[in-house]
Amino acid sequence: MKIKNLIFLFTTCLFVSFTGTNGNVRSEASTTVYVCGKSTIYHPTKSHSALSRCTSGITTWTESNAKNAGKRVCKCRN
C-alpha cells in the first residue's frame, strides 16, 4: 500500500512540474515596451515619467527585441 502511495505522489509531482503557466504571466516576446529616441533604456508603460520628457520621439518595441538590441529595462519603480 505504501508503494502505491509513493508512486501516486511521484507522478502527481511530475505532472505539476510539467504543466504550463496559468496565462497570467507576461510573455516577453509579446510584451510592448517604449523607447525614447536612441536611448538604451526601455520603459514598460507609455505613461512613464521619463517618456513625458522625451523630445526625440517614442518608439514601440517588443521586450525581446529591445533586449536583443542591447537595451535594458528602466530602474525606476513607476
Side-chain angles (χ1 to χ4, degrees), residues 58-72:
I58 300 169
T59 54
T60 303
W61 296 58
T62 61
E63 188 171 7
S64 60
N65 285 347
K67 284 184 178 183
N68 289 339
K71 300 185 184 308
R72 68 167 178 83

Side-chain angles (χ1 to χ4, degrees), residues 26 31-34 42-48 51 73-74 78:
R26 294 187 320 174
T31 300
T32 302
V33 296
Y34 305 92
Y42 64 87
H43 305 278
T45 61
K46 196 169 185 174
S47 61
H48 192 280
L51 293 175
V73 68
C74 70
N78 294 352

